[in-house]
């Protein structure tokens, strides 16, 4: 059976900790799904544990990223390797709630191109994490929602679902960190395509060390933060900006050949 959702999990030496993450994910995701464990090195300590799970559950695949090291390249590679029309990016550290993967995927199935799990909307919460990172993320989310009208109060959160056709159409330019979620939200906003959100409770990772480097990743976030503001772009203008070729959208099985932003 072809999966309806591809769950992309970039990993870096998670070791046995990936077992708990996969156990919860495979228990909570009820839609036909595949889970791609994307690693940069063949000897990543995550691989043998993920392969152990894959031997008993065919939904799990380990995928070696060949686009270059780092989370942005791993996510890019995972999306290109995905077989489902909807992709969800989530982290391997247990911070995200896997029960919401189905709900996010269903929003995309209904017509949005980006569905965000939001820590900062009513009903959402962020527990733990570095204070400065929390402050910057919340400020960015509030200002983008209020002034750029991006459709979510949490544009910087990586835990999002995407229309795979949209991602392949607009491309991913990020090459460093976790700013892909902001990039794709900003591009959807400039194209005036629909973005939606649901509340989530984010919990700081219980085990191991975070691989988020604020100083290294901040320039990428700032680039897409400012890009989100601006006039509507056509797909052709966006393609010209990125150097890509604009490919006409295929007819949408949901009944329209174009998406329209509502609200």
């Amino acid at each position: 059976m072809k999966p309806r959702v591809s769950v992309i999990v970039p990993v870096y030496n998670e070791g046995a900790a990936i077992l708990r993450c996969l156990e919860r994910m495979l228990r909570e995701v009820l839609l036909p799904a595949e889970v791609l464990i994307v690693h940069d090195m063949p000897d990543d300590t995550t691989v043998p544990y993920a392969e152990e799970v894959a031997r008993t559950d065919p939904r799990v695949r380990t995928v070696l990223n060949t686009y270059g090291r780092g989370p942005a390249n791993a996510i890019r590679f995972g999306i290109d390797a995905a077989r489902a029309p909807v992709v969800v990016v989530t982290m391997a550290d247990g911070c995200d709630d896997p029960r919401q993967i189905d709900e996010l995927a269903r929003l995309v199935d209904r017509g949005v191109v980006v569905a965000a799990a939001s820590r900062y909307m009513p009903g959402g919460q962020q527990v733990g994490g570095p204070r400065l990172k929390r402050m910057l993320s919340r400020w960015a989310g509030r200002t983008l929602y209020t002034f750029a009208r991006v459709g979510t109060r949490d544009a910087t959160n990586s835990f999002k679902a995407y229309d795979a056709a949209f991602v392949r159409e607009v491309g991913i330019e990020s090459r460093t960190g976790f700013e892909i979620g902001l990039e794709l939200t900003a591009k959807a906003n400039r194209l005036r395509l629909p973005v939606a959100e649901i509340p989530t409770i984010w919990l700081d990772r219980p085990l191991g060390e975070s691989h988020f480097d604020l100083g290294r990743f901040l320039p990428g976030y700032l680039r897409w933060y400012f890009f989100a503001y601006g006039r509507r772009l056509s797909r052709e203008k966006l393609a010209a900006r990125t150097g890509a070729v604009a490919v006409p959208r295929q007819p949408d099985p949901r009944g329209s050949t174009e998406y329209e932003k509502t609200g």
Side-chain angles (χ1 to χ4, degrees):
M1 180 185 297
K2 184 177 179 180
R4 287 179 58 189
V5 57
S6 295
V7 184
I8 312 300
V9 187
V11 299
Y12 181 74
N13 288 336
E14 298 291 338
I18 196 64
L19 294 175
R20 184 178 179 185
C21 171
L22 284 174
E23 179 188 3
R24 293 181 65 226
M25 195 177 300
L26 295 171
R27 182 179 68 242
E28 302 293 353
V29 176
L30 302 180
L31 290 173
E34 63 174 356
V35 179
L36 277 59
I37 304 299
V38 189
H39 53 100
D40 292 344
M41 306 168 293
D43 59 350
D44 189 294
T45 62
T46 317
V47 174
Y49 295 98
E51 288 181 342
E52 177 185 336
V53 177
R55 281 192 286 270
T56 59
D57 195 319
R59 290 177 291 176
V60 178
R61 286 200 285 149
T62 57
V63 182
L64 177 62
N65 162 35
T66 61
Y67 286 177
R69 293 191 177 186
N73 288 319
I75 293 169
R76 287 175 54 231
F77 190 90
I79 291 174
D80 284 346
R83 296 182 296 164
V86 179
V87 293
V88 175
V89 176
T90 186
M91 299 297 107
D93 54 16
C95 294
D96 301 325
D97 187 349
R99 294 176 300 176
Q100 297 181 302
I101 290 174
D102 284 356
E103 189 175 0
L104 290 168
R106 288 191 177 100
L107 277 174
V108 175
D109 194 49
R110 289 174 58 193
V112 307
V113 298
V114 179
S118 175
R119 298 163 290 185
Y120 308 132
M121 70 179 292
Q125 188 178 357
Q126 182 173 3
V127 180
R131 182 183 296 271
L132 178 60
K133 178 185 169 186
R134 294 203 316 266
M135 290 174 55
L136 290 174
S137 174
R138 184 181 291 273
W139 174 82
R142 285 180 174 176
T143 54
L144 285 169
Y145 181 78
T146 303
F147 301 113
R149 300 184 66 186
V150 298
T152 173
R153 298 164 181 84
D154 199 352
T156 63
N157 196 0
S158 295
F159 188 24
K160 290 184 173 73
Y162 305 100
D163 181 321
F166 158 75
V167 177
R168 290 167 184 146
E169 179 186 347
V170 303
I172 295 174
E173 299 170 58
S174 299
R175 297 292 185 270
T176 307
F178 297 97
E179 68 271 18
I180 285 176
L182 178 55
E183 173 186 344
L184 292 173
T185 303
K187 287 181 174 179
N189 190 55
R190 293 293 299 275
L191 291 170
R192 301 302 188 257
L193 297 176
V195 175
E197 63 179 1
I198 61 172
T200 192
I201 297 178
W202 183 94
L203 302 174
D204 195 18
R205 63 181 295 152
L207 298 171
E209 232 177 87
S210 171
H211 303 301
F212 188 93
D213 185 337
L214 180 60
R216 180 184 171 207
F217 298 157
L218 186 58
Y221 279 98
L222 289 174
R223 174 191 180 189
W224 295 112
Y225 175 87
F226 290 112
F227 178 79
Y229 295 88
R231 296 180 179 177
R232 178 175 185 166
L233 284 177
S234 67
R235 289 184 284 114
E236 291 75 18
K237 287 182 179 179
L238 180 60
R241 177 188 174 279
T242 62
V245 177
V247 179
R249 295 190 77 93
Q250 296 298 314
D252 185 353
R254 290 164 287 204
S256 172
T257 57
E258 294 287 341
Y259 292 108
E260 294 182 0
K261 188 169 183 177
T262 58

